[in-house]
Amino acid sequence: MTNDDDSQLLKLIGGNIRRLRKRAGLSQEQLGLISGLDRTYIGGVERGERNPTVLTLFHIAKNLDTSWECLFEGSQ
């Protein structure tokens, strides 16, 4: 993977998290609180600026009441 591929994947994951968070009716702050993360970190993940660990993605997905696989929807 190139840096561009990495960046696109992070943006895809972040966009999916944002979509699922909004569907759940949660703010970034609320998702951060229940996930043990700061609101600014959630924002960075949603914008594709952060590279969250697998465990972080797992906790976010769990708190969005979805599977971690849903965070990768649209990837190849």
Side-chain angles (χ1 to χ4, degrees):
M1 284 184 96
T2 66
N3 284 341
D4 286 341
D5 291 338
D6 293 349
S7 177
Q8 291 296 3
L9 181 58
L10 290 174
K11 287 179 183 178
L12 174 83
I13 292 167
N16 286 338
I17 290 172
R18 177 179 285 127
R19 177 179 51 78
L20 292 164
R21 174 182 60 77
K22 287 183 176 187
R23 183 187 306 164
L26 296 172
S27 68
Q28 288 179 346
E29 185 172 10
Q30 290 169 320
L31 179 57
L33 284 172
I34 61 176
S35 300
L37 302 165
D38 190 83
R39 174 195 58 79
T40 59
Y41 185 81
I42 296 292
V45 170
E46 288 185 355
R47 290 187 301 276
E49 298 169 353
R50 298 283 193 150
N51 186 2
T53 66
V54 171
L55 289 176
T56 297
L57 291 175
F58 178 80
H59 290 297
I60 289 172
K62 179 181 165 193
N63 289 311
L64 290 172
D65 198 28
T66 192
S67 67
W68 63 268
E69 293 96 336
C70 288
L71 303 182
F72 291 85
E73 283 183 1
S75 67
Q76 296 181 14

